[in-house]
């Protein structure tokens, strides 16, 4: 695993510790190379009492079945080209391989530096793109916001229940979504007691959501995404608003709930709930909880999804994809149960 | 003051302790009658070392200049008719006198039991209805959500910048907004780490927002309101979405910010900010912070307001109204500074 | 399982869902009989989609291998006598069977109503009393505070490193330690931002600690216990102070750490750490992290232990004991890894 | 004011904004020079809409009545010598001038660089050292831990109720006590849900406590201090343990409470409470709440104090001292009421 000192890397180490078919051959870090896992992640000391993070040397990874990259933004483009040919599969948890080259340049403001590899990457939401993942060489695991918003809206767009424009995604994330880097807004004394929006109108995850939902819908999707920071470590809630399509049968909460239940039937990690889902029930779990409503008074459809941003929104979904790449049962090493309260 | 054992009542006691022109003549409670203020609100012990809450006996209130009612839902309708004639002014912090009788019945599912008094109440948002408040006999102080949403959207609707339908108010409140009553969702272990929506599609504050904004707009306003509970004690953020009016000049963030600055010029308790406001900066303060954006990509206007739900969203605004009723400077006893971090 | 609607019961259900050798035959509740597990514990919906809590009828439990009792204080004394003969083993998570009859009466202020059963119960800290548990009929799982304090002090007292009197246990617990009952101090708005001591000088867990440590020490132990409530849902930290024994080798941090490492060698759920342990690393885990120091300046020994009060401090340790009673590997269904951050 | 960008500096700005007799002539910062107060402290925007922080130029401060220094550790020694002669008074909120030169060197591991100025500084706990402060040239405002521990233990030591050795101070602080600097343990995702001890046995505030209490006791005091970090922004609780003196009348909670009430009679900022004090009642307030107990079972005295670490533990007490230096009423600009919940 590359990038084992951050929160996503730590969460992957936690999940892999109990995985019966994947052993961690190497765990790298940059500034923290030389540090023990047990020092950086004291909760993992029992599983990795002696493991030391090493600096990245691609040769060490030669021949591994799968390499997870949980690297700072932009780093995967540098590293993956060196690895892609010599390892079985890459599961990249960064944004580098999630969209096409032009979308990447549009939202990230710079040309993609490894665009030739983009076709080898499937977008890693198994519930929507399982067939592609199974046959792909590599996987780009989605961001936490796109996972929640896309799974909340997919049944509506796939079934033409709502219009593909005028969608609003109003979402809130816990502070761990900002990563482990040192920055003022990540300080406890700043975030505790604070609720605020950020990245107004131009958050980069917008493009990822539109691209994924566009493929689900079979047409262009346009949405406005407003992320908020709320005072919890983990947990992400996406509250999505859309206008019912003139055709279709979106004008009943009951029928929409039935649509969702049908759409996600048999999915081990998507639970359609009658009640509004809360993030707390998903802590430590790879499950996403989702519900839907039709409001007749304003003729609006609401879909609301809750997840643990570090599990279904990051490390858990990456492992779910890795299981698919390796031909393992998709749920191996993953729990759908939340640690609550 | 009636209802001094809850959070709103306690906050009023805090503010009144430093008010140079209002002395607390009586503080009542129901279940907590006989208890000391210092026991129920240990933070107020220095100001009320010996004050004991008493059961409500209307005769005791005879001739008082102003009576604040911070009572459980529905109780004001019982109590106010007995008081209204014998005290100078009533400032009711409950929902009973905020809207007309028909709106009340629609949203609260029962007929109003003191409808004849409704005309005597002004709706207590001074920044929008100051003239009415000054000349009113009584004031119905608004709820925490309506205060934030109405002040966020008022400049847009008053100036025809946005359409009066299709508005979405997506808001989040701290747990103190649920009051001090014992209920499972108010428990620390339930709310800590949890983010969830509630009251989907039919929250009662919707009617209050539509009524207040309708008066500001001069036409019917229709909006969908989705409240969320987030793990903080205080703080309320309203993120509002609206479609630009075809006429008017809403399609520029700069011009919208100028509209807001103009609309709230000279207001001591509304701060128009360039950056997205956070609730933390409003803790303990009667100030509401608000910003606005135009998103050209999706042709949408966003307005975001932050407040302390117990101050500008309840006790502080009630005191602001009482100052107006009593002919005192509006800011007396109120601070616009937040206790942060 | 008896008492499945509270936090301890819910945590047991979570652990048992992944246990390969124990299936939940029945889950009871009192006020919540008839409710679905998925409603009371939404995080467990994936494992118990249809399970409904039932009222307690002892006949239903006949012949079960093990019955867990996570009942309100004092209830086990009523229930266990009806069960004890007809089920394989009882693991009681309440205080009823943790100490002798006289200690019970002293600390709980009432005579024990099932004293004849007390000899059948072993005290359930496997790291200290494994031999007794293995051969016992039933187990009384210890409280959260006694688990942490006893495991922190045991190596010192067992090896005569400290005096058996003058010990101070200063501990802090998350709010879930108060249970799921509705009470003012458990409200989010009361507990958030608050740090306070409670139960000064006479907290009932004192007797349990002294009894357990007395057996470890082979002599009477006397200690002063001060619990604190801190604003976190889970997590318990015990900071213990003791005077070095005049004989023995307690006057070096290095030798004390060596004592602890020796004492807990091979224990899967006790980690001796060099650094001061934090509760966050134990979330969701059955591991207790502990360290020790000698302060030469004041000639004092400190031992500090951290645990998840609902796992090692309650449900996890109960399951650890049940594994022993049933002859299963002690770690079955239990993780030593914390979910962090 | 020097050092206006941090939490202590911000809190001072908040208090000074409402101070009738002190106007802020200059506010400096180092890295944040050029930034607006309203940007760094959005909650203060209403009071300082246009104030910009400037780099420190001592000449600008010439002739000011009082200069507050809220500077990073060790900086005051550099700065104060340049100011001390040209301003009326210095109130230093750092550790530089709190103890004698030898104690400083002992606990801070380096010689004091402005030892000649130490005699000009009084130690700023007015309730214990008011006479000295009133006549002093400058004041060294104490740290947050020493304020709480010293005020909790002072009545006991001043009246010979307890022994001067064998004292334990077990204290917990909110994360704002770590300041606004960027560091891993200050991150929300690290501190949220975590309770841990730190600075075991050798925290630098120990020396400050021993020195202050030694002066109160009239003999050497020795204590062991264990600070803890708990997940709240503000709030500090000190739980102190001491052995009753053989002489004296310490062996009754009632008599000890009477001692405390007598000792702090007339003090506007010390409240002696019957119940264990909580930090939440002190938020935003300059009041310290304190109680005391005698435990006959273990023959121990407990004293427990709660405060807001940024107010009574820092900025508020500094202002209290400044009022004394300037001959103003001691309570000017300070509130004894907590913002709670």
């Amino acid at each position: 695993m590359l990038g084992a000192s951050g929160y996503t890397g730590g969460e992957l180490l936690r999940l892999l510790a109990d995985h019966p078919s994947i052993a961690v051959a190497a765990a790298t870090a940059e500034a923290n190379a030389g540090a023990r896992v047990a020092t950086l992640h004291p909760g993992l000391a029992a599983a990795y009492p002696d493991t030391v993070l090493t600096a990245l040397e691609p040769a060490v990874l030669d021949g591994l079945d799968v390499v997870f990259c949980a690297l700072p933004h932009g780093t995967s483009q540098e590293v993956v080209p060196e690895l892609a040919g010599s390892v079985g599969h890459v599961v990249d948890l960064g944004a580098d391989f999630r969209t096409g080259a032009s979308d990447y340049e549009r939202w990230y403001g710079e040309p993609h530096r490894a665009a030739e590899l983009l076709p080898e990457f499937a977008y890693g939401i198994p519930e929507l793109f399982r067939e592609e993942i199974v046959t792909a060489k590599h996987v780009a695991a989605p961001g936490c916001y796109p996972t929640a918003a896309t799974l909340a809206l997919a049944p509506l767009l796939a079934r033409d229940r709502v219009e593909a424009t005028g969608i609003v995604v109003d979402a809130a994330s816990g502070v761990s979504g900002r990563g482990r880097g040192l920055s003022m807004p990540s300080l406890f004394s700043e975030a505790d007691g604070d609720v605020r929006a950020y990245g107004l109108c131009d958050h980069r995850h917008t493009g990822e959501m539109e691209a994924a939902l566009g493929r689900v819908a079979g047409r262009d999707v346009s949405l406005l995404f407003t992320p908020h920071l709320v005072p919890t470590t983990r947990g992400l809630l996406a509250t999505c608003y859309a206008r019912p399509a003139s055709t279709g049968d979106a004008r009943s909460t009951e029928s929409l709930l039935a649509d969702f239940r049908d759409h996600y039937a048999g999915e081990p990690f998507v639970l359609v709930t009658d009640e509004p889902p809360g993030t707390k029930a998903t802590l430590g779990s790879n499950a996403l909880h989702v519900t839907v409503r039709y409001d007749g008074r304003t003729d609006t459809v609401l879909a609301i999804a809750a997840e643990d941003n570090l599990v279904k929104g990051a490390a858990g979904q990456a492992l779910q994809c890795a299981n698919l790449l390796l031909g393992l049962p998709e749920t191996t090493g993953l729990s759908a149960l939340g640690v609550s309260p």
Side-chain angles (χ1 to χ4, degrees), chain A:
Chain A
M1 179 196 317
L2 312 189
S5 55
Y7 292 145
T8 304
E11 192 66 1
L12 253 175
L13 287 174
R14 181 178 74 85
L15 298 171
L16 292 173
D18 289 328
H19 196 288
S21 312
I22 303 181
V24 177
T28 78
E30 195 164 19
N32 289 299
R36 294 169 61 232
V37 167
T39 301
L40 290 169
H41 305 292
L44 306 182
Y48 303 93
D50 305 314
T51 307
V52 171
L53 302 187
T54 58
L56 170 59
E57 295 184 38
V60 175
L61 311 172
D62 265 15
L64 291 181
D65 292 321
V66 59
V67 171
F68 295 94
C69 300
L71 297 168
H73 171 66
T75 314
S76 289
Q77 288 174 62
E78 304 291 339
V79 171
V80 169
E82 299 185 55
L83 305 173
S86 59
V87 302
H89 306 283
V90 171
V91 178
D92 182 41
L93 288 93
D96 299 32
F97 296 97
R98 289 177 187 159
T99 55
S102 61
D103 269 355
Y104 183 87
E105 183 161 354
R106 175 183 179 192
W107 288 98
Y108 290 87
E110 53 181 20
H112 200 287
R113 284 164 287 159
E116 70 285 0
L117 287 174
L118 285 168
E120 298 184 15
F121 280 81
Y123 188 65
I125 302 186
E127 291 80 6
L128 302 178
F129 308 111
R130 186 172 284 116
E131 296 308 308
E132 294 176 26
I133 297 167
V134 168
T135 59
K137 173 75 169 161
H138 307 307
V139 164
C144 48
Y145 284 120
T147 296
T150 302
L151 286 168
L153 289 164
L156 298 169
L157 286 162
R159 292 162 186 241
D160 285 337
R161 297 301 188 236
V162 298
E163 294 186 14
T165 60
I167 296 170
V168 167
V169 175
D170 190 287
S173 170
V175 185
S176 67
R178 293 180 52 87
R180 205 173 194 176
L182 301 181
S183 71
M184 184 87 74
S186 296
L187 293 182
F188 185 92
S189 301
E190 305 287 325
D192 177 48
D194 200 24
V195 183
R196 64 169 63 242
Y198 65 97
L200 298 183
C201 306
D202 62 357
H203 191 282
R204 290 163 166 183
H205 280 180
T206 307
E208 196 181 326
M209 293 179 197
E210 289 183 346
L213 286 169
R215 291 181 51 214
V216 168
R219 61 206 147 120
D220 281 352
V221 168
S222 163
L223 59 83
L224 174 56
F225 167 49
T226 309
H228 295 73
L229 196 66
V230 290
T232 175
T233 297
R234 294 185 182 218
L236 188 151
L237 191 84
T239 301
C240 310
Y241 303 88
R243 291 190 296 261
S246 50
T247 60
D249 186 16
R251 291 193 165 80
S252 147
T253 292
E254 291 67 30
S255 70
L256 291 173
L257 280 168
D259 281 344
F260 273 59
R261 293 218 159 80
D262 182 57
H263 204 82
Y264 291 123
E267 289 295 345
F269 295 124
V270 176
L271 276 78
V272 180
T273 64
D274 289 333
E275 295 300 308
T279 58
K280 194 172 179 97
T282 68
L283 192 143
S285 150
N286 199 50
L288 176 136
H289 294 206
V290 63
T291 198
V292 67
R293 291 291 185 282
Y294 172 67
D295 179 49
R297 219 173 53 81
T298 61
D299 195 32
T300 311
V301 174
L302 278 91
I304 307 180
E307 68 177 15
D308 182 326
N309 55 300
L310 293 181
V311 188
K312 184 61 178 171
Q317 188 158 253
L319 179 53
Q320 189 181 351
C321 292
N323 286 336
L324 290 172
L325 290 172
L326 297 171
L328 300 169
E330 188 173 334
T331 60
T332 311
L334 293 166
S335 173
L337 304 189
V339 180
S340 173

